[in-house]
Amino acid sequence: MTDFGVVEWFEVGEHERVEKVLTSLRAMGVRRLRTGLSWADWYTDEGEAWYDWLIPTLAREVEVLPCYLYTPPSIGVVPKTSSPPRRPREYADVLDLILDRYGEHFEYVELWNEPNNLSEWDWTLDPGWATFSRMIIDAANWARQRGKKTVLGGMSPVDPSWLELMWDRGVIDHIDAIGIHGFPGTWEATWQGWDDVVDRVRRVFEGRPSNPQLWVTEVGYSTWLHDELGQARGFLNAIDADMDRVYWYSAQDLDPARPTVDGFHSDEREYHFGLRRSDGSPKLLGRMLEGGGVPAVREITARVAPAVHTKSRGYALITGGCGFLGTNLADRLLRDGQRVRLLDNLSRPGVEQNLRTLQERYDRVDATIGDVRNPYLVKEEVEGADRVFHLAAQVAVTTSVEAPSQDFEVNARGTLNVLDAIRDRDDRPPLVFTSTNKVYGGLDDVELRVRDRRYEPVDTEIRSRGIGEERCLQFLSPYGCSKGAADQYVLDHAHTFGLPAAVLRLSCVYGPHQLGTEDQGWVAHFLIRALEGKPVTIFGDGLQVRDILFVTDLVNLFLRAAERIDDVRGRPLNVGGGGPRAVSLLELLEMFESMGIPRPEIQFEEPRPGDQRYYVSDLRHAERILDWSPTVEVEEGLRLLHAWQAGFKGGKGSRTTSVPGSSGRRVVERVKAGGHR
């Protein structure tokens, strides 16, 4: 494996972003960083002060490779940063000042970037790269006199003929390492693999008096089509190549509000090369590197074969199939001997463990690591399915507030992609879609009173039956809007296009494979905090009521809805535990004590906008139409969840847990420690 670093470029004044990138590199264990040191910025009023801060700050954390480039427009042949300077010697003169000022902080300095790329060096103003060659030779000589090693700015594209020219002009005699760039899967349409690249470059070295190292100073893979597994595979291919050093581009996606060198969004691919998105959230590769380094990346890529879409048919497709609900549904189908295909982008921490669990337990599970935002991939996955369970979603209200566009793209656009794929088929498979009780808004018009440790409706009908599907929709929060829009698109496609599709508006579901957070999965979250002896934060007074449903009961409903899709086509069903399984937050915490779990300390915060003080599902339609009702009592479900969490935390790998079967009888299920959604 080739030693690797990361590439990230900073603009003058980006102090906060520098600190965030360093934190991310620290989490991944990355000790090398290639970054730009702009000659043009040095000439500005803020330039020297910026680099006085930047270079030492970076060097305290990582081994810095500064790439010294960009002509100050005021001294160029023409006024742009890719222009040759009117006096080539000035490039070396300023490098001398830079080395005097910062030389103690780095060993190598890279001289220019992509000199055979017209955007970076306008060779139409420098025929044969004559000025460039003189400029680099002078700078390399200064660097060597100051005890520094030099890297020739990476070629893009790789061009052995250009490298031959640099040899003939005497440039390579002064260089310690030659840089190359490559972006297979994004721009390199005729890419033949790294072995081919290395062979073509090293052939230029044959018979030459010097033998510089070969570095990939920039390699990356754009996730503009949400192919994060492709990015992980591209990373492994690069670091496994026969190179002396590799720098992966980049630490973070480009800010979508800023232009690139080639213009503002002239090529959308340029904005999506990061290990993290522009909002700071990690992609699959970044998260794997943070969680387990290169070995973790190797494991997850080995578990999923490259997508080869054949004409195979007859599988149940589960989008979000590695999440909490998807894993439980897949486990049931596979246990019953049915074929399953999982589609999941593994964006949620821990879900890769669910995939591991299912693959170790069953031979019939196929997995595609991909995103429902990619309509072409969704179409391929739906093509052979005989049932579709669309569970993939952005599931947290707080995340939707922080990133509403992403929330919309996943929940609304992703659902429309699934609907379009089903509509394109002649033999349309049944679709079961999971919506949410959040489509009813805050239910502020439901008058409540306090009885004992909970709220209850004053209205007798609501108190006895719960919230029914006839209630008007009210979308509060971006999450409510995106899920509500998806909900309505599914129902409309059933009516307008005749799709065999149904909507299940879920209340609170809990069970194995759920490691809840403060934002989502509150039953599991409360239990985790109690087991860890940590306080629980309640937003509100704790009297809020929810009907909670054990996940195996929901799986039974999933299967029944798919089997009897004509009975529920084009209609929503409210789904939860119903009145008998309704508890307040405080009541649930009190139940822990009866299980021998110390009740956690409670910290109260102000209610969050749109939070419902009371929600209990009216199950009459689900019970009548599908002959379904919950079977697992709350106390029993909590004990089962507790048992699973104890095994997960203990790292025992597998254990036996008794859970209710589809007919209400007791069955024995092998439950392995896994992840969550």
Side-chain angles (χ1 to χ4, degrees), residues 533-608:
K534 295 179 180 178
V536 164
T537 299
I538 289 180
F539 296 90
D541 51 22
L543 303 178
Q544 304 98 300
V545 171
R546 298 291 185 272
D547 59 325
I548 63 177
L549 179 68
F550 194 69
V551 67
T552 54
D553 282 331
L554 178 60
V555 168
N556 292 338
L557 183 61
F558 281 155
L559 300 182
R560 191 149 313 175
E563 292 166 1
R564 299 170 58 173
I565 194 66
D566 288 338
D567 295 332
V568 291
R569 179 197 301 259
R571 68 179 305 158
L573 295 177
N574 288 354
V575 177
R581 292 165 183 79
V583 296
S584 73
L585 276 59
L586 294 177
E587 288 171 341
L588 185 106
L589 291 173
E590 290 167 357
M591 289 181 183
F592 293 169
E593 295 183 270
S594 66
M595 299 166 58
I597 302 170
R599 177 176 168 171
E601 175 190 345
I602 302 175
Q603 298 174 348
F604 292 95
E605 299 285 349
E606 288 296 313
R608 292 177 291 196

Side-chain angles (χ1 to χ4, degrees), residues 89 111 136-146 150 174:
R89 179 72 186 186
L111 304 178
I136 298 302
I137 289 172
D138 287 345
N141 282 333
W142 268 120
R144 282 191 170 177
Q145 289 181 37
R146 304 297 298 272
T150 55
H174 305 273

Side-chain angles (χ1 to χ4, degrees), residues 634-650:
V634 173
E635 294 82 357
E636 180 185 9
L638 290 176
R639 285 195 297 271
L640 291 168
L641 177 59
H642 180 204
W644 181 83
Q645 286 181 343
F648 179 86
K649 294 293 287 184

Side-chain angles (χ1 to χ4, degrees), residues 325 329 388-391 393 431-440 469 473 479 483-484 486-488 490-491 501-509 549 551 553-565 567-576 615 617-619 621-623 625-626 628:
L325 299 183
L329 174 59
V388 178
F389 300 92
H390 181 35
L391 316 181
L431 168 67
V432 177
F433 169 69
T434 51
S435 184
T436 171
N437 61 0
K438 296 296 190 293
V439 300
Y440 297 118
E469 295 89 350
L473 304 183
Y479 172 73
K483 288 296 287 186
D487 177 309
Q488 294 299 288
V490 174
L491 296 178
V503 169
L504 306 182
R505 292 174 180 162
L506 304 186
S507 185
C508 297
V509 186
L549 179 68
V551 67
D553 282 331
L554 178 60
V555 168
N556 292 338
L557 183 61
F558 281 155
L559 300 182
R560 191 149 313 175
E563 292 166 1
R564 299 170 58 173
I565 194 66
D567 295 332
V568 291
R569 179 197 301 259
R571 68 179 305 158
L573 295 177
N574 288 354
V575 177
Y615 184 87
S617 306
D618 181 347
L619 302 181
H621 286 152
E623 291 172 339
I625 298 171
L626 294 176
W628 168 91

Side-chain angles (χ1 to χ4, degrees), residues 249-307:
Y249 178 77
S250 61
Q252 190 173 36
D253 282 350
L254 297 181
D255 183 343
R258 292 186 175 181
T260 66
V261 172
D262 294 324
F264 186 71
H265 289 267
S266 59
D267 188 333
E268 193 62 30
R269 293 173 294 182
E270 293 192 61
Y271 288 82
H272 301 279
F273 280 93
L275 296 169
R276 286 179 173 267
R277 302 175 187 87
S278 58
D279 64 5
S281 60
K283 299 179 187 176
L284 177 63
L285 175 55
R287 189 165 63 79
M288 292 297 100
L289 288 172
E290 290 181 9
V294 174
V297 182
R298 293 194 190 281
E299 185 198 7
I300 200 64
T301 55
R303 287 195 171 275
V304 185

